[in-house]
Amino acid sequence: MESSPIAALPGQAPGPRLAFAGDRQRPDEIAESLAALANAHGGALVISGGRGSQLAPLRDPAAAIELALSAALACTPPLIIPLPQVVVYHDMPVVVVEVPAGLPYVYSINGRYLRREGDSNQPLSPAALHRLFSERAELGWERQVPLGASFAELDPDLITAYARRVGPPAGDDPMTLLTRRGCLIDNRPTNAGLLLFGRDVAVRFPQAEITLVRYRGREPDDVFERADICAPLPDAIRRAERWLNDHMRKGSRMIGLEREDWTQFPPAAVREALVNAVAHRDYAARGEGIRITLFSNRLEVYSPGRLPGHVTLDNIRAERFSRNPAIVQVLADLGLVERLGYGIDRMLRHLAAAGLPPATFHETAAGFLVILPGHPFAEELPGGIDTTAWRRMGLNDRQISALLFVVEQQRITNRDLQEMHPDVSPETIRRDLSDLVARGLLLKVGDKRATYYILK
């Protein structure tokens, strides 16, 4: 199914990762297929107005989506799934329900444990069920309701914004939406709900803190910049990403009158490393948070908790296992993470596209460490200049180009900068250079047409 576009699934035959159902079936009947897929390798369920794989147009697609969501809640524990999608196949509207791979729980329906085998749902034998429980280890911390937790601890503005982002039918009732996402149980917030939507995350979960540090060299020293972030997870990701983008080295070099820019790390790869750490860390581990450290030649991202389930360093690119499915699904709803868990692959692709070596992965005694190699320009600066400080000062691209030109040519004139930016007015060019003089970066030499500028 991973290689098949969702729109093509209705036309395929039932199999280990694809099941079919009719819109007149009961929720518990639909739930059998959802639980069977979840207990195997994930997949998809197609709901149409026909019987089995004999497709017919849906009478009411919205009702079919509600049927699928009700079936997911009928599973034990409730199954967290992305919002089902309406697909038009040969002019027939049908609903496709995705069941993610790598879930950490074993699911039952009315006390029965099923697994998708071939094109049917089969009961699990006692030995197979025992083996499945051992493999998945019942990692249920995010579904637990902390002692004394109340709905008042959640931020209503965050919930409203989230429900609006998800949209109907799943987002029209925020309470139902949070229940379906594993963030509420009997209107009380779970650990996942408090981490994602809590008013004060630090009160209950100080271990959810993200610590960001930047050193100038290859090793820790006494001179560094640091920030600590403890906030609802979506906001924490956004704030940490901004900090990293602001503090990683960025540089440029002039090739003739053209400027070539580079960054210390591909921003997209940094984002994947950050989001994966937040989404998949072990939040039950107290006493330490995520640590992200910028060095001159590398970025280290440490998250508490060793690799979950059956994932190992050897199979990390191929296997899927989500320690925190509720957290991952909400972050996916908000566009912060891909639900199917291909962050490692994307990280490696972004590094390769930037001409950098692959990231390395390490298990420590109590955690997981990802190391991203940095661009050599960031450390050696061959033919380039680190422009990070200039950008922090708020200089615009024209001013940075002017400073780079002066570094290489020892001087610059209004005409030089005008040739580099022919679409900009002469008055704007004059103001750019005057501002650099006022900031103490350039020194004006001469007068009128003989004027030129040098580094101060």
Side-chain angles (χ1 to χ4, degrees):
M1 189 197 76
E2 291 170 4
S3 60
S4 300
I6 189 170
L9 292 176
Q12 298 182 13
R17 302 198 63 194
L18 182 62
F20 289 82
D23 62 351
R24 293 189 177 182
Q25 290 183 244
R26 301 190 311 271
D28 60 333
E29 293 175 325
I30 303 288
E32 288 187 0
S33 290
L34 295 179
L37 288 166
N39 288 336
H41 304 289
L45 172 70
V46 177
I47 302 176
S48 79
R51 291 187 176 184
S53 58
Q54 300 299 313
L55 301 180
L58 284 169
R59 301 160 184 82
D60 185 347
I65 290 177
E66 186 60 38
L67 174 65
L69 294 173
S70 298
L73 281 179
C75 298
T76 302
L79 178 61
I80 299 171
I81 58 174
L83 183 64
Q85 298 184 45
V86 177
V87 171
V88 178
Y89 180 76
H90 290 183
D91 297 326
M92 289 185 295
V94 299
V95 164
V96 178
V97 187
E98 177 198 340
V99 179
L103 295 172
Y105 307 110
V106 180
Y107 297 87
S108 67
I109 178 67
N110 296 328
R112 300 176 64 218
Y113 291 91
L114 304 170
R115 186 185 182 103
R116 190 73 177 173
E117 295 181 4
D119 61 358
S120 62
N121 306 325
Q122 297 295 324
L124 280 162
S125 68
L129 181 60
H130 175 75
R131 185 165 56 252
L132 189 60
F133 269 109
S134 298
E135 289 174 355
R136 301 201 173 183
E138 280 297 288
L139 302 176
W141 181 86
E142 67 169 2
R143 291 181 181 270
Q144 297 173 15
V145 176
L147 183 65
S150 69
F151 187 80
E153 293 183 61
L154 302 183
D155 187 324
D157 292 336
L158 295 180
I159 295 172
T160 299
Y162 171 60
R164 187 180 300 117
R165 171 65 183 256
V166 174
D172 53 359
D173 179 358
M175 299 290 284
T176 301
L177 174 60
L178 292 190
T179 299
R180 287 172 172 160
R181 288 297 186 258
C183 296
L184 284 181
I185 294 179
D186 296 328
N187 293 336
R188 297 173 62 203
T190 61
N191 286 325
L194 289 165
L195 280 168
L196 291 160
F197 303 104
R199 293 177 185 270
D200 193 344
V201 172
V203 170
R204 284 196 179 271
F205 308 114
Q207 72 269 30
E209 184 173 72
I210 302 174
T211 297
L212 304 123
V213 179
R214 182 197 185 215
Y215 294 105
R216 295 188 179 277
R218 292 189 169 196
E219 301 299 332
D221 57 38
D222 295 335
V223 179
F224 59 88
E225 297 175 81
R226 171 174 174 161
D228 298 296
I229 300 171
C230 196
L233 299 187
D235 183 48
I237 289 173
R238 297 185 185 103
R239 289 167 56 184
E241 184 178 14
R242 285 196 298 269
W243 192 94
L244 289 168
N245 283 334
D246 287 344
H247 287 78
M248 75 168 72
R249 296 183 179 184
K250 301 178 180 68
S252 303
R253 59 179 179 175
M254 297 301 297
I255 301 178
L257 295 178
E258 297 294 325
R259 193 181 80 194
E260 180 183 275
D261 296 328
W262 53 265
T263 58
Q264 188 176 7
F265 310 95
V270 172
R271 186 174 193 269
E272 293 294 348
L274 164 65
V275 171
N276 280 339
V278 172
H280 301 299
R281 66 150 288 182
D282 182 2
Y283 285 97
R286 304 184 70 88
E288 64 176 343
I290 293 170
R291 300 194 304 271
I292 304 179
T293 311
L294 276 166
F295 293 97
S296 63
N297 67 331
R298 68 193 185 279
L299 174 70
E300 295 187 356
V301 181
Y302 171 83
S303 56
R306 292 166 63 85
L307 290 170
H310 54 272
V311 179
T312 67
L313 291 174
D314 292 331
N315 66 20
I316 191 170
R317 293 192 65 173
E319 294 296 330
R320 308 285 176 257
F321 195 96
S322 177
R323 177 184 274 119
N324 306 307
I327 290 172
V328 170
Q329 183 58 60
V330 171
L331 295 180
D333 291 338
L334 293 170
L336 294 171
V337 64
E338 289 287 342
R339 184 64 184 87
L340 292 179
Y342 295 100
I344 297 294
D345 286 337
R346 285 192 300 274
M347 184 193 310
L348 296 175
R349 285 200 303 270
H350 290 309
L351 288 168
L356 293 171
T360 56
F361 309 98
H362 310 269
E363 272 198 298
T364 67
F368 182 62
L369 176 66
V370 179
I371 301 177
L372 274 64
H375 201 296
F377 278 8
E379 190 169 31
E380 301 168 8
L381 301 178
I385 295 294
D386 184 356
T387 61
T388 307
W390 294 342
R391 295 179 189 277
R392 286 193 203 171
M393 294 172 62
L395 300 187
N396 61 44
D397 286 344
R398 296 183 303 277
Q399 291 174 310
I400 291 175
S401 296
L403 291 173
L404 291 169
F405 190 92
V406 176
V407 169
E408 293 198 358
Q409 304 296 328
Q410 285 73 56
R411 57 191 283 174
I412 190 171
T413 66
N414 286 57
R415 182 176 179 179
D416 292 329
L417 191 55
Q418 184 74 65
E419 290 179 354
M420 294 162 61
H421 302 280
D423 297 331
V424 178
S425 70
E427 178 59 24
T428 299
I429 294 294
R430 187 196 64 78
R431 287 199 301 267
D432 285 338
L433 293 171
S434 296
D435 181 60
L436 292 174
V437 172
R439 291 173 182 264
L441 297 173
L442 291 182
L443 181 66
K444 182 178 179 181
V445 180
D447 191 23
K448 297 183 180 180
R449 293 189 176 183
T451 298
Y452 61 92
Y453 302 83
I454 62 174
L455 289 177
K456 187 172 183 178

